[in-house]
Amino acid sequence: MSHIYDLIIIGSGPAGLAAAVYAQRAKLDTLVVEKAMVSGGQVLTTYEVDNYPGLPGIGGYDLGLKFREHADRLGARFVEDEVLKIEDGSRGAVKSVVCQGNTYEARALILATGAVHRKLGVPGEEELAGAGVSYCATCDGAFFRNKVTAVIGGGDVAVEDAIFLARMCSKVYLIHRRNELRAAKSLQENLLSLDNVEVIWDTVADSINGDGMVKSLSLTNVKDGQKRELEVQGVFIAVGISPESRAFEGLVDMDHGYIRAGEDAATSAPGIFAAGDVRTKPLRQIITAAADGANAITSVERYLVEN
C-alpha cells in the first residue's frame, strides 16, 4: 500500500514554498511536487525584487533560493515530477496525484502551480523563439548587449524589462497598444527618464521577422492604420501570464483558467486548496503568493481536523 500523506503541495514557487514552511511547522506529513529542476517559480526570472518587505533590491533568483532553503531547513520533502491529473474521491476520500514518474496520495492538496508567460500569437513568434524572441529579459538580456531590442507590453513586467535592457542595449523600444502604460507610476518615471528608451504608443506587432534570427518587427498603429518596419535584434514579449491549471480542468471551478478560490484558498472541491498566481485574485505578487501559502495551511489544518 502506498504512503498516504496529510498534504501534497503541487508547485514550489513562493506560494508552494510558503505553504511547505507552514506545513512543516504544523507537523503535517507533507510532500511537495515540482516539475522544474529548481524551486522558485517566476521569481527566478526576475532580475531585481524591490517590493518584498525587508529585502529591497534582492535578486529574484536569490529570493527563490532563500524560500527553498527555509523549507529545506525545516525538513520539507520534495520530489521532481510533473502532475498529469488528479483523481478525487468523495468528501474525505484520499486524493491521487498522478504524475509522469509516480502516483502519490494525500488527504488534502494545495494547487500552487502558478502561471506562465502569455504568447503574442503572431507569425514568427514560435519560429524565432530562442533566436531573438524571449519572454524573460533577465534570463536573456545579456545576449543583446549593445544591440537594439524591443519590449512588447505595457504593464509592470514590460516596463521593468525595458529598464533592465536599457542598461546594456544601445536602444530599447517599448511597444504598447494603448496611449498610456498600466505599470506603476514609479516604474514609468524611471523608464521615461532613460535616454536610450523610446515608447511607441498605440501600436501592435503584426509579425516578427527574420531568417534564423530576429531582424525586424512589422508594426501597425491602431489609430491611423499606418504600418512600419522596425529593425531590432531582439524582441521581449511581456503581455501577461496564463495560469498553469490544465491538469485540474473538471476537478475544480475555474474562471478563464484561474482556479476559483478566496483568501481561505478553498476551491469547489473539498480538501483541495489553491494558492498563488493560479487562483482568482486581484493582485499577483510574491508577497501575496506567500500569504496565500500561509492561509492555505490554516484551511488545510481545519479540513484535516474536521475530516
Side-chain angles (χ1 to χ4, degrees), residues 63-282:
L63 183 58
L65 204 60
K66 283 182 177 294
F67 282 167
R68 174 61 189 260
E69 286 173 352
H70 192 170
D72 283 338
R73 192 160 58 244
L74 291 172
R77 184 183 174 196
F78 290 80
V79 64
E80 186 184 327
D81 212 337
E82 183 169 1
V83 175
L84 303 177
K85 63 177 179 175
I86 292 169
E87 295 173 351
D88 183 32
S90 59
R91 183 175 178 84
V94 170
K95 294 139 181 60
S96 297
V97 179
V98 181
C99 301
Q100 282 187 342
N102 209 338
T103 295
Y104 310 93
E105 294 183 324
R107 296 169 60 203
L109 305 177
I110 294 176
L111 313 179
T113 44
V116 293
H117 298 290
R118 189 174 293 151
K119 301 291 179 67
L120 201 59
V122 299
E125 179 180 12
E126 296 286 346
E127 296 85 345
L128 294 167
V133 173
S134 173
Y135 302 87
C136 178
T138 55
C139 308
D140 301 328
F143 296 117
F144 298 90
R145 191 171 299 278
N146 300 320
K147 295 184 178 180
V148 179
T149 58
V151 177
I152 300 174
D156 284 355
V157 173
V159 173
E160 286 171 353
D161 284 356
I163 292 168
F164 172 75
L165 291 168
R167 298 172 185 170
M168 61 191 75
C169 297
S170 59
K171 178 80 174 183
V172 179
Y173 295 98
L174 180 65
I175 298 161
H176 186 42
R177 60 184 175 177
R178 298 190 177 93
N179 62 359
E180 61 180 4
L181 300 170
R182 302 187 311 276
K185 294 298 182 185
S186 59
L187 287 173
Q188 293 189 43
E189 289 171 4
N190 190 344
L191 177 83
L192 298 173
S193 71
L194 300 173
D195 292 336
N196 62 335
V197 173
E198 180 182 337
V199 182
I200 301 177
W201 304 103
D202 301 311
T203 298
V204 295
D206 298 321
S207 66
I208 303 170
N209 314 310
D211 183 14
M213 289 295 293
V214 168
K215 296 284 187 0
S216 69
L217 274 169
S218 294
L219 306 175
T220 298
N221 184 294
V222 295
K223 286 194 170 177
D224 60 19
Q226 186 175 344
K227 295 184 179 294
R228 64 183 288 194
E229 195 93 354
L230 186 69
E231 290 189 8
V232 295
Q233 285 84 56
V235 178
F236 293 84
I237 298 169
V239 291
I241 58 173
S242 297
E244 284 270 53
S245 61
R246 286 186 301 276
F248 316 130
E249 288 176 359
L251 178 73
V252 292
D253 289 347
M254 296 187 187
D255 181 4
H256 294 90
Y258 291 97
I259 299 170
R260 288 189 182 275
E263 288 296 308
D264 63 357
T267 71
S268 59
I272 300 180
F273 304 86
D277 284 1
V278 77
R279 83 167 178 92
T280 50
K281 56 193 298 183

